[in-house]
Amino acid sequence: MTTTTSPNAAPDTPAPLADVTRDEASLRRFLHGLPGVDQVGVEQRAAALGTRSIKKDAKRWAIDTAISMVDLTTLEGADTRGKVRGLAAKALRPDPERQDCPRVAAVCVYPDMVEAAVDALKGSAVHVASVATGFPSGRTSREVKLADTRLAVEYGADEVDMVIDRGAFLEGRYMDVFDEIRAIKAACGEAHLKVILETGELATYDNVRRASWLALLAGGDFIKTSTGKVSPAATLPVTHVMLQAVHDWHEQTGELRGVKPAGGIRTAKDAIKYLVAVHEVAGEQWLTPNLFRFGASSLLNDLLLQRRTQVDGHYSGPDYVTVD
């Protein structure tokens, strides 16, 4: 069997793991040498942590924290600049009647809508994220994926959400996936890279762990569960596996990387379960938009309703927030 070598891997891989990405055989040996995920154990832990009761001031803090972690997203074929401007306005003032309501973390759009988002968010701390690399399937050439990424960055995106080649990963062509992530990371320049694993297509928790480590080794700033276009999307057990990966990465390298569950998270109650998981699995320092995001636009509406309930002492109803 011919051994594939990646000339770009070693210099940028943290010293403790430099040899891991030397060639295909080394990478395969490392990924398949990771501890197996106890399916029953991770699902039971996720379920148990999901029953934690958060009340009063802690709940208000959790809701505000979750709002600040939302990537407000529109990724539809019918997207217009007007729709993007409206989304940006909501990102800046999620609840126009509540001046103390936090802003969201980012607005996420297709590359051709980045300029409209950048213009609408100019001067604010809200980031502009763009999907790229043939989102959501990723079934296009590397040249097109790189051009897609460069276009997003040229238009002003400061975050890029890419999708991995799941076909290559499932065939065991790990170095191909690694090299592609590394190339996309280089094309991002100063922009942060979120690597979408599309966990619903990876079939097993062991594959989720391997894909998480592969993305981290290749330089991903965030690992992200899903595109939101495939079911199942984000789940608590899968997010536990990914949070454990970034925790272990930090233990080995000293570097902090983020996690973004995306798709299917619709209520404040669900969001709080994820925040509990972040605290218990990764650690308290991950409870920041710099290291944890929600890719769930519809979630924001319920967070705002629950925030009003906490502040006003009564339920306001859905007519008091804009509907996405």
Side-chain angles (χ1 to χ4, degrees):
M1 183 179 71
T2 302
T3 300
T4 302
T5 301
S6 175
N8 298 324
D12 296 322
T13 304
L17 296 166
D19 288 343
V20 168
T21 56
R22 184 177 61 250
D23 52 44
E24 182 77 64
S26 299
L27 185 56
R28 176 182 299 277
R29 187 162 51 248
F30 174 80
L31 294 176
H32 284 266
L34 292 169
V37 179
D38 178 353
Q39 178 177 344
V40 174
V42 74
E43 290 176 355
Q44 286 182 342
R45 189 183 187 199
L49 289 178
T51 64
R52 292 273 180 90
S53 179
I54 308 295
K55 298 184 183 298
K56 297 183 179 178
D57 290 346
K59 186 172 183 179
R60 168 70 183 275
W61 174 88
I63 289 171
D64 277 4
T65 299
I67 291 171
S68 75
M69 292 172 165
V70 169
D71 281 3
L72 204 53
T73 304
T74 182
L75 297 170
E76 303 299 333
D79 283 345
T80 64
R81 285 171 292 181
K83 183 178 181 181
V84 171
R85 285 192 293 268
L87 201 68
K90 184 170 183 177
L92 293 170
R93 297 279 300 277
D95 188 340
E97 297 180 12
R98 301 292 190 275
Q99 297 294 324
D100 62 342
C101 183
R103 295 176 175 179
V104 304
V107 168
C108 184
V109 295
Y110 276 115
D112 63 325
M113 290 291 151
V114 166
E115 285 184 310
V118 168
D119 183 63
L121 294 168
K122 189 180 302 180
S124 78
V126 178
H127 295 284
V128 175
S130 175
V131 296
T133 66
F135 179 94
S137 70
R139 298 256 57 91
T140 188
S141 70
R142 187 173 300 183
E143 290 75 16
V144 170
K145 293 178 181 181
L146 288 168
D148 204 22
T149 302
R150 293 186 185 113
L151 186 67
V153 174
E154 179 183 331
Y155 284 161
D158 49 16
E159 299 178 359
V160 171
D161 291 31
M162 71 164 287
V163 288
I164 68 167
D165 186 336
R166 283 88 72 198
F169 177 87
L170 292 170
E171 288 179 351
R173 292 187 283 117
Y174 301 132
M175 190 57 77
D176 285 349
V177 180
F178 176 90
D179 282 340
E180 186 160 278
I181 298 171
R182 177 56 57 83
I184 299 299
K185 173 65 176 172
C188 285
E190 296 299 315
H192 280 197
L193 176 64
K194 304 193 201 87
V195 182
I196 306 171
L197 309 181
E198 199 67 286
T199 54
E201 295 181 340
L202 298 186
T204 70
Y205 294 129
D206 285 344
N207 275 343
V208 172
R209 173 168 283 176
R210 289 173 189 138
S212 296
W213 273 90
L214 183 56
L216 295 170
L217 287 164
D221 297 294
F222 268 74
I223 47 176
K224 178 177 172 182
T225 60
S226 27
T227 61
K229 307 294 186 181
V230 170
S231 183
T235 68
L236 270 170
V238 158
T239 304
H240 272 238
V241 173
M242 295 168 67
L243 287 166
Q244 189 67 56
V246 296
H247 174 272
D248 293 347
W249 175 267
H250 179 251
E251 289 285 301
Q252 291 200 38
T253 69
E255 296 180 353
L256 291 166
R257 305 286 181 86
V259 174
K260 178 181 173 180
I265 307 169
R266 296 185 175 88
T267 68
K269 184 177 180 180
D270 288 339
I272 290 171
K273 290 179 181 180
Y274 279 86
L275 294 184
V276 170
V278 172
H279 184 275
E280 296 298 322
V281 180
E284 187 175 356
Q285 60 187 321
W286 271 267
L287 288 170
T288 165
N290 292 331
L291 293 172
F292 194 78
R293 299 281 184 87
F294 290 105
S297 291
S298 61
L299 168 65
L300 181 58
N301 294 330
D302 193 59
L303 287 168
L304 295 174
L305 289 174
Q306 297 305 322
R307 187 179 193 276
R308 283 191 170 218
T309 300
Q310 293 292 309
V311 173
D312 300 339
H314 60 83
Y315 182 69
S316 297
D319 293 338
Y320 288 85
V321 298
T322 58
V323 178
D324 299 317

